[in-house]
Amino acid sequence: MKETKSTCCYCGVGGGVVIQSEGERIIGVRGDSDHPANFGRLCTKGATPHLCAQPDSRARHVFSYTAGFRHVADAGRE
């Protein structure tokens, strides 16, 4: 497991994060206790990037609003 120090991108605070990865996959994120903006603490958004940073969970096509709403509505009917 590799650990990389970085800055959280979700707001203007710029808290320090430690990103845990294996190969190209992010497996965890924790606060950087050495960072003066957050002292190792993370908010809800800052603690979850590893849950949405997986290539298989991202949209692969550009949707118009109409097409996007239709897609969501159709998925809800299944």
Side-chain angles (χ1 to χ4, degrees):
M1 177 178 66
K2 178 181 173 184
E3 292 192 338
T4 305
K5 289 189 174 190
S6 188
T7 303
C8 182
C9 61
Y10 284 113
C11 72
V13 172
V17 295
V18 178
I19 302 167
Q20 301 163 328
S21 61
E22 287 182 352
E24 304 241 342
R25 186 179 173 105
I26 297 172
I27 58 170
V29 176
R30 62 180 164 78
D32 181 357
S33 59
D34 296 329
H35 199 281
N38 61 326
F39 301 104
R41 295 184 181 96
L42 293 177
C43 71
T44 303
K45 291 188 295 183
T48 60
H50 65 288
L51 300 175
C52 59
Q54 306 308 326
D56 55 342
S57 68
R58 300 187 74 180
R60 292 177 172 52
H61 306 284
V62 175
F63 290 103
S64 68
Y65 282 112
T66 304
F69 288 132
R70 190 174 301 127
H71 176 76
V72 170
D74 290 344
R77 290 186 197 118
E78 295 176 0

